[in-house]
Amino acid sequence: ISVINYAAIESNLDTALKWLEKDAGSSNAIWKIVTLHVPPYNTNISDSHKAFTEKFPKVAQKAGVDFVFSGHDHSYARRAPMTDMKVDEENGVTYFICGSSGEKSYGVTINPDYNFKIATNEFSSIYLSVNATDSQFTVNTYDVNGDSKTLLDSFTKHKKNDCSVNGHIFKYE
């Protein structure tokens, strides 16, 4: 799990991205996760961060990142797993905006190029739950209203169950 704290100073972004590319790119972790404040693909059209949108996804993809969790937009969104702006269920990076654990929210504007599977502010408040194994990573998003919760969204990414993961070798005789 990596954290990038980008706040609109492009030279700081470049430094952080060089670090992420080296650190995550050399990791042998089964699942690679990045958390951010500002989403590279936003739902609040009045608050775009062009340099971040242009630079971050290329580095995340190159470093083998699986999931990116961000906030900032005060909405909930999940983008289809993408590689080079094309849906890629097996190897693509999946982006989540999960920036509303309370009543504050902004209107949602959907850029069709971002390929959101869900983008909404129609909920009371949300929280995410993750369940991961070596071959499966599931994110459940719940809408919480008082003492009740309702499943708002669920997404599961699978990895091939490769016996060579973590240095294990399978030999059939």
Side-chain angles (χ1 to χ4, degrees):
I1 298 174
S2 301
V3 178
I4 296 204
N5 186 20
Y6 169 63
I9 299 171
E10 198 166 343
S11 62
N12 290 351
L13 173 62
D14 293 339
T15 300
L17 293 180
K18 285 178 189 172
W19 169 82
L20 178 65
E21 186 174 339
K22 182 180 178 189
D23 188 65
S26 65
S27 170
N28 65 355
I30 294 170
W31 300 105
K32 297 179 185 181
I33 302 161
V34 176
T35 62
L36 314 161
H37 178 78
V38 176
Y41 301 104
N42 60 334
T43 59
N44 182 354
I45 198 165
S46 66
D47 196 23
S48 177
H49 295 271
K50 187 176 180 182
F52 198 47
T53 302
E54 290 174 354
K55 294 180 179 187
F56 179 84
K58 293 173 188 171
V59 172
Q61 181 178 309
K62 186 174 181 181
V65 171
D66 296 289
F67 295 95
V68 177
F69 295 96
S70 62
H72 190 69
D73 279 4
H74 293 266
S75 62
Y76 174 75
R78 174 176 55 83
R79 189 170 185 246
M82 304 287 280
T83 300
D84 296 328
M85 295 302 286
K86 293 182 177 101
V87 175
D88 179 356
E89 297 287 341
E90 189 173 324
N91 299 306
V93 181
T94 304
Y95 291 83
F96 287 83
I97 299 172
C98 37
S100 193
S101 59
E103 296 173 359
K104 182 180 178 183
S105 66
Y106 300 124
V108 172
T109 303
I110 299 174
N111 179 334
D113 293 336
Y114 291 173
N115 204 358
F116 286 118
K117 291 306 212 180
I118 181 174
T120 184
N121 63 358
E122 299 294 321
F123 50 82
S124 297
S125 62
I126 60 168
Y127 79 89
L128 279 66
S129 171
V130 172
N131 185 3
T133 67
D134 287 356
S135 60
Q136 180 173 295
F137 192 106
T138 300
V139 179
N140 289 318
T141 304
Y142 296 94
D143 177 2
V144 180
N145 189 355
D147 292 334
S148 68
K149 69 177 181 180
T150 306
L151 185 65
L152 179 66
D153 186 34
S154 184
F155 175 75
T156 300
K157 183 173 182 175
H158 300 274
K159 291 225 176 172
K160 292 179 183 173
N161 194 357
D162 184 353
C163 292
S164 65
V165 171
N166 294 325
H168 299 285
I169 297 172
F170 175 78
K171 182 177 179 184
Y172 178 77
E173 294 181 4

